[in-house]
Amino acid sequence: MIEKHTIIVTVTNRVGILARITGLLAQRGYNIESAIAAPTEDPDIYKIILVVMETDENIEQITKQLNKLIDTIKVIDISHRDNYIVREYIILKVGITPRTRAEVLDLIRVFEARLIDLATDHLIVELTGHVRKIDRFIELLKPFGIKEFVRSGEFAMTEYN
Amino acid sequence: MNGAEILIDVLINEGVDTVFGYPGGSVIPIFDVLYRTDTIRFILTRHEQGATHAADGYARATGKVGVCIVTSGPGATNTITGIATAKMDSVPIIVISGQVAAGNIGTDAFQETDMVGLTRSICKHNYLVKNVEELPRILKEAFFIARTGRPGPVAVDIPVNVSNSILANYQYPKDVSLPGYKPVTNGNQKQIEKLARAINEAKRPLLYTGGGIISASASQELLALLDKTNIPIVVTLMGLGAIPADYPTFLGMPGMHGTMAANLALTECDLLIGIGVRFDDRITGKAEHFATQATVAHIDIDPAEISKVIKAHIPVVGDAKKILRELIDKVKPRPRDDWNSRTQSWKDQFPMTYNQANESSILPQYVIDRLNVLAPDNSIIVTDVGQHQMWAAHFYRHRRPRAFLSSGGLGTMGFGLPAALGAAIGCPGQTVITISGDGSIQMNIQELATCAINDISVKVIILNNSYLGMVRQWQELFWDRRYSHTCLKRVSTCPPVCPGPNANCPSDYIPDFVKIAKANHIPGLRATKPSEVDAVLKEGLNQPGPVVMEFIVKSIENVFPMIPPGKPISAIIPGRPA
């Protein structure tokens, strides 16, 4: 069964590591839903967080192949683990009219999103939260006419020390 | 010391005695150091692909890391096939390529190519050296990565300014620090015990071993396990020579062109013990029909190979030699039993045969059979790719490890001659024989000059059937004999549709291999009749230096048995229908 998997790849900060990882997935025919590469508290270590839609068997193969890369320190598929805090960030531009403005602002309040810009015909809002919350936010704003949005892709951290 | 001097110092430090390669603009500083080094023998091949395969052949025959040095741009791209060949067969080589000066990278400079990008998916690891300070560390890591764990090719791209830059306090590092690279060599105890229990309880166990046994130098351990347990064994193309071909329980090579006995044993076994193998599709056929009655155990140094193609019930990750040593102590002696008799009966019932007596033309199998008798025991056989490769695998009686070199995974035509050249340099005193076809040999035939000039004694056997025989065989069996562009004798006056060899075929084969040999100052011999085979082989093998022996063989002979591509083992074609 094809499911969404979030994979955290901890790597040594070497030139081209992102290309190695994305290249490996492309070479074996896997699609990446989202990828974030970012520094960590240790300047030598980067974390790359991938979201991939694949079967469990393929994910096993992907994680093994990722582990095989010389610069990879650790690979964890957190999809079936609940001890991870997973977040996503979105900036979204939605159309407004004098008639719909109040309703849109209400939604923003309910979701505890932050208004960044308010113009006569549109507004820009940012929101951080669990992926499901972001999805729901988009869904509820859709009828008002979403003009553009950009999502960060998932990032995650274990709850344990 | 400058970067170029550091590189050569590292090679000497790592015990490299021979480097293959080809100079060019961006590696002149390195070649300038080679010019004044007498510790390293440099072999100038006639093509960078030849240099890469030569380093590969050297590595396969000796077990040491093979090294080649080429220039940027076309020099670098010409190594691609060689790197991919080494990757597929897990051969430790280091390919040093020059690069344009760091400041010019990204400007589409003359002879600039993105070597790191090009080789990313076909090497074990690769590096672009940004400055001379990191050169010693990178070279240390390159050798370490190439030869440890599952061996493989490492590419190091060195910009010309790095070769020219001075490093004041050069010291070759003693250790590597690679937090992400720690190959597991010791097998998990519980898994080894589980495997031993499974072996002790199995009714129909079967060993299936490959190139991993050769890489791990685990032949002695494998033989000890066999002697204690009498388990029937099949050996892949990459693993041939791990045990002597006359070992009593050896059933031959399995797979698409495997023996009936090996394939039937795979079908009926209840415990399959894969060691240093990767369940390649040329072995398994249609995966869901593969070894369906068996519990599958898999010993491999590379965790990513476990359950990649066939689900492993008992995986053991680690070094085959170490694991086999532990396993031998834990398994009970197993007398020969009904299962042994059954597998032996298949061997007796379906031997690999040919019938030269009924043929006026030379059969390729006969040439190899005679070579097997006439070649010295210390011979190293190197093949190209195609029908001759399969016949060499079956009809030569392999005696010892690292003495049968063949491009298994990538199936690289043109591998044979340059790889043989590398093997000959790595193993002086041994007879190196390359068995090739008329198609394959032409893909790197320029290396005959390298052999002649450097007096590298490679015995080149060309089995000339005037076809790209393996493709023609597929066309005959599965494409209704539509021999599209597989005839190497075909000329512009031939009819558009040709059903195969007939009275109107051109009489001359172009090129004339004997003349090519002679043009390279190498003796060229040719046999056209079965009665001439022995004389040519004897004369060729007795020549002190390189020699070309061409055998004009039956043009439409097929390799049998054959499992049609994508079909289960049960669909095996035992031989040509009468």
Side-chain angles (χ1 to χ4, degrees), chain A residues 14 20 27 64 68 70 72, chain B residues 121 126 137 180 302 306:
Chain A
R14 290 266 175 89
R20 283 187 207 279
Q27 165 198 348
K64 281 177 178 172
K68 210 166 136 176
I70 305 291
T72 301
Chain B
S121 62
N126 61 16
R137 171 186 61 80
D302 180 359
I306 307 288

Side-chain angles (χ1 to χ4, degrees), chain A residues 12 14-16 19-21 23 27-28 45 60-61 64-65 67-73, chain B residues 120-121 124-127 130 137 141 145 150 177-181 302-304 306-308:
Chain A
T12 316
R14 290 266 175 89
V15 183
R20 283 187 207 279
I21 287 174
Q27 165 198 348
R28 290 179 186 268
I45 306 287
E60 191 186 328
Q61 187 52 215
K64 281 177 178 172
Q65 293 292 344
N67 253 316
K68 210 166 136 176
L69 293 174
I70 305 291
D71 293 331
T72 301
I73 297 168
Chain B
R120 190 173 291 130
S121 62
K124 186 171 173 185
H125 198 52
N126 61 16
Y127 294 92
K130 290 284 186 99
R137 171 186 61 80
E141 288 178 7
I145 290 167
R150 178 180 182 172
S177 164
L178 290 164
Y181 180 70
D302 180 359
I306 307 288
S307 299
K308 185 181 77 177

Side-chain angles (χ1 to χ4, degrees), chain B residues 63-78:
Chain B
K64 298 194 281 186
V65 178
V67 178
C68 68
I69 302 178
V70 301
T71 193
S72 63
T77 55
N78 279 343

